[in-house]
Amino acid sequence: MKKKAFDGQWRRLDNTAKIFPVIANENMSQVFRISVTLKEPVKPELLQQALEDILPHIRNFRVRLRQGLFWYYFEENKRIPQVQRESAYPCRYIDPRGNRKFLFRVTYYERRINLEVFHALTDGLGAVMMLKDLTGRYLQLVRGEEDGFWKPEDEKSQKEQVFSVVDSYLENYREVPRRRYSSNPACRLEGNYLPLGTGQVLHGYVNTGELKKICHQYGVSITKYLATVLIWSIWQEYLEGKPWAEPVVLNLPINLRAFFDSETMANFFAVTMIGHLFKNPDIRFEELLLKISRQMDKKIDKKRLEESISYNVSREKKWYLRVIPLVIKKLALDLVFRLKDRAYTMTLSNIGIIKVDPEQEQEIQRFHLMIGVSRRQPIKCAVCAYGEEVVITFTSVFADSHLQRRFFDKLKEDGVRVLLEGNEPSSARKRDMYPRIRKVLILQKGGEAKASRMVRQVGQTGGEAAKEIKNYLAGERNIKEELHRRLHV
């Protein structure tokens, strides 16, 4: 007999989600953002109303995180979340005890609506579904359509509502031979870090037709091409095109819904490691592309994904592991994460094409996807497409953007035009799509060198943090100022 996703007003975290509350903190938020840019400025009062209208229908987001004796769990949250104007760097930590105990936040800036989500709640596809519903209801209100977003005939049955938050890992678990996954160290990226709490965002806008044309010429998919360009760029920029003892490895999240016919809004993805050990300094890009393409064909198929599910779920089903107290599980999970974390160089996530209803197409300009970074995971790349445009977004905690530039230069060499846009710490020429958080010395000419010098002058940020805590405990900092600075309330 299958267990219900909800038992009363609480439910278990899905198999993948269980690790995120253990490893998340101010320095490694495990938060990602999906945002939509409209063609008209956002009206915050209507956005707030839209959020309040749809939230009762999306039970996966209407929860708070609680800590039990053996595992974390979700409990229904009956509070009302508040929409706020964007005033901080993207993908910052979502404290489960703050933010009215919600595990997501909705912000806006100019024409853009942002949905930031703690990964324990859902994955990229689940967040896209939430944002599309929020945007659809908001646009209805803008047009003066006061009727509800869902009509009675569109309402899901109770059974379907439970299914929408079911743990599809357990639903699709099969007893199959399990592979052991490598935890051998991969090449790591190093650089001059920006101050803690700061991060740069660089968007590259490319035409879908141009990108498809070059991929067709190479005979590969867009994801295979972008993954190879990224591995190639890391080798050229960080390893200077020389042989290296450690491989360059990408962590690729794979959406499992298409393979296992699932509609869950909980997490349902697997990660596969795609990489190359550079022994031959004379390898051509075309040769590397062929190797990466074959590797992805071999690893991304249903049989291998079933093995991944079996590997992850089998431990959860062992009774003697289930009865271990959470405080001990935290230590074990943190160790497991550190072993897996060192096995890849960076993350590349492509959620593919985002489609909306025809009546909304004329009111939406584009979507963005970005992933939170940390000093342990300093650079990440996220890709999404809408209409005739593909948006490639790099998030980074490094003061320079050498890798990003190398990546986009390769696209240009292959005949794909790229328009760059970013936030203040980035070196993009166009930087007015994000609020100015603080003055950062990055200019178009020589800005990256200045930023690197600035970072070195900052010194040990841990000492600064200790000083701030001492001032707060000594009563030298006002509690309201401290709350605003740390929790943005």
Side-chain angles (χ1 to χ4, degrees):
M1 181 177 179
K2 297 180 180 179
K3 296 180 181 179
K4 293 183 178 181
F6 268 89
D7 183 8
Q9 295 183 333
W10 71 275
R11 66 179 173 87
R12 298 177 177 87
L13 276 67
D14 62 72
N15 176 265
T16 295
K18 290 178 178 179
I19 195 170
F20 293 116
V22 175
I23 62 177
N25 53 52
E26 292 263 4
N27 298 326
M28 189 162 57
S29 68
Q30 299 301 317
V31 171
F32 65 93
R33 170 190 285 194
I34 180 75
S35 62
V36 58
T37 301
L38 307 177
K39 296 184 178 179
E40 297 293 336
V42 175
K43 299 179 180 179
E45 67 281 359
L46 295 185
L47 182 60
Q48 177 67 43
Q49 183 61 53
L51 180 58
E52 294 180 19
D53 287 350
I54 70 164
L55 194 58
H57 301 271
I58 306 178
R59 67 189 307 178
N60 190 49
F61 282 74
R62 205 175 63 245
V63 296
R64 60 177 178 169
L65 185 68
R66 301 299 298 271
Q67 181 173 331
L69 179 60
F70 301 108
W71 284 114
Y72 288 96
Y73 63 94
F74 289 136
E75 185 178 73
E76 184 177 4
N77 188 353
K78 297 182 180 180
R79 296 174 176 82
I80 299 175
Q82 294 297 307
V83 169
Q84 295 184 346
R85 184 179 183 275
E86 184 177 5
S87 60
Y89 288 98
C91 300
R92 73 185 190 275
Y93 178 59
I94 296 178
D95 189 340
R97 296 162 295 183
N99 193 42
R100 301 200 172 190
K101 300 189 184 300
F102 285 99
L103 302 177
F104 70 94
R105 67 168 69 93
V106 176
T107 62
Y108 66 92
Y109 184 74
E110 303 295 344
R111 296 180 293 115
R112 191 179 69 252
I113 299 172
N114 311 307
L115 173 64
E116 296 189 338
V117 181
F118 181 41
H119 221 322
L121 199 59
T122 188
D123 55 20
L125 270 297
V128 167
M129 294 166 64
M130 167 68 170
L131 181 63
K132 286 169 62 175
D133 285 344
L134 175 62
T135 305
R137 180 55 182 155
Y138 168 78
L139 292 175
Q140 274 191 337
L141 294 174
V142 170
R143 294 191 294 263
E145 301 174 11
E146 295 296 336
D147 293 338
F149 188 59
W150 282 275
K151 298 178 182 179
E153 58 268 24
D154 296 330
E155 291 286 353
K156 291 184 176 181
S157 67
Q158 180 66 25
K159 179 180 179 181
E160 289 174 322
Q161 285 187 22
V162 171
F163 178 73
S164 69
V165 292
V166 73
D167 186 342
S168 287
Y169 295 102
L170 295 178
E171 292 286 307
N172 292 278
Y173 170 72
R174 302 289 183 272
E175 281 287 354
V176 298
R178 299 187 294 274
R179 289 181 182 268
R180 289 190 174 273
Y181 294 90
S182 173
S183 59
N184 296 326
C187 169
R188 304 294 290 179
L189 304 182
E190 300 291 342
N192 293 318
Y193 294 101
L194 289 165
L196 289 176
T198 309
Q200 66 157 291
V201 178
L202 186 62
H203 305 292
Y205 303 121
V206 303
N207 179 268
T208 304
E210 292 181 0
L211 187 58
K212 284 183 176 179
K213 181 180 178 180
I214 190 63
C215 292
H216 179 71
Q217 291 175 1
Y218 283 122
V220 297
S221 67
I222 289 178
T223 301
K224 289 177 178 177
Y225 173 72
L226 294 179
T228 306
V229 172
L230 187 53
I231 292 173
W232 176 267
S233 300
I234 294 171
W235 181 50
Q236 293 291 318
E237 188 62 37
Y238 280 89
L239 310 185
E240 300 178 347
K242 300 177 181 178
W244 207 256
E246 298 170 331
V248 177
V249 181
L250 297 185
N251 179 43
L252 289 183
I254 307 299
N255 174 32
L256 295 176
R257 294 170 180 82
F259 291 89
F260 297 95
D261 192 28
S262 170
E263 296 180 2
T264 183
M265 281 189 69
N267 286 289
F268 195 41
F269 70 97
V271 294
T272 186
M273 303 298 185
I274 303 295
H276 183 74
L277 178 61
F278 288 94
K279 296 181 179 180
N280 177 16
D282 298 322
I283 186 172
R284 295 182 299 112
F285 175 79
E286 292 77 8
E287 295 177 53
L288 179 63
L289 180 58
L290 181 61
K291 291 178 180 292
I292 296 302
S293 178
R294 289 174 175 172
Q295 192 178 151
M296 290 178 67
D297 287 338
K298 181 180 179 180
K299 290 188 174 183
I300 306 176
D301 68 2
K302 188 171 183 178
K303 181 179 179 181
R304 293 292 291 265
L305 296 174
E306 283 181 337
E307 292 172 355
S308 176
I309 292 175
S310 175
Y311 177 85
N312 292 326
V313 174
S314 60
R315 287 160 174 75
E316 181 181 344
K317 299 180 77 69
K318 296 182 185 300
W319 69 267
Y320 53 85
L321 295 178
R322 293 166 64 180
V323 298
I324 296 175
L326 180 58
V327 64
I328 299 177
K329 285 192 177 92
K330 284 182 179 181
L331 298 175
L333 287 173
D334 185 65
L335 177 60
V336 169
F337 175 76
R338 288 177 180 274
L339 290 174
K340 290 185 176 181
D341 184 48
R342 71 174 188 170
Y344 62 90
T345 306
M346 65 175 291
T347 296
L348 170 65
S349 178
N350 182 3
I351 61 170
I353 301 173
I354 300 176
K355 297 181 179 180
V356 299
D357 294 337
E359 62 269 20
Q360 300 173 14
E361 292 177 352
Q362 300 303 315
E363 300 171 280
I364 294 176
Q365 181 180 5
R366 60 170 58 102
F367 287 85
H368 296 91
L369 172 68
M370 67 179 71
I371 315 172
V373 288
S374 67
R375 295 197 173 190
R376 283 172 56 184
Q377 302 173 345
I379 306 180
K380 295 185 180 181
C381 182
V383 183
C384 67
Y386 174 72
E388 296 302 314
E389 184 179 66
V390 175
V391 182
I392 305 169
T393 300
F394 283 89
T395 46
S396 171
V397 295
F398 289 151
D400 66 74
S401 54
H402 296 155
L403 173 61
Q404 297 91 310
R405 290 288 182 171
R406 175 77 71 165
F407 176 90
F408 290 122
D409 284 346
K410 175 57 181 172
L411 295 188
K412 294 175 184 178
E413 290 173 9
D414 284 346
V416 180
R417 291 172 296 175
V418 181
L419 175 65
L420 297 180
E421 187 175 19
N423 68 346
E424 193 175 1
S426 77
S427 60
R429 186 181 299 275
K430 188 176 181 183
R431 297 179 292 167
D432 57 357
M433 70 176 297
Y434 290 96
R436 293 177 64 88
I437 310 302
R438 61 171 67 94
K439 185 176 182 181
V440 179
L441 298 177
I442 294 186
L443 306 175
Q444 186 63 26
K445 293 184 178 180
E448 294 180 356
K450 292 181 180 179
S452 297
R453 290 197 299 270
M454 179 193 71
V455 171
R456 288 193 292 268
Q457 291 169 0
V458 169
Q460 296 294 327
T461 55
E464 294 294 325
K467 182 179 178 181
E468 291 295 329
I469 294 173
K470 179 181 177 182
N471 290 341
Y472 168 60
L473 293 175
E476 297 177 12
R477 180 180 289 276
N478 183 276
I479 182 62
K480 291 184 179 180
E481 293 179 0
E482 186 70 14
L483 288 173
H484 178 73
R485 186 174 73 87
R486 292 187 176 276
L487 303 180
H488 302 276
V489 296

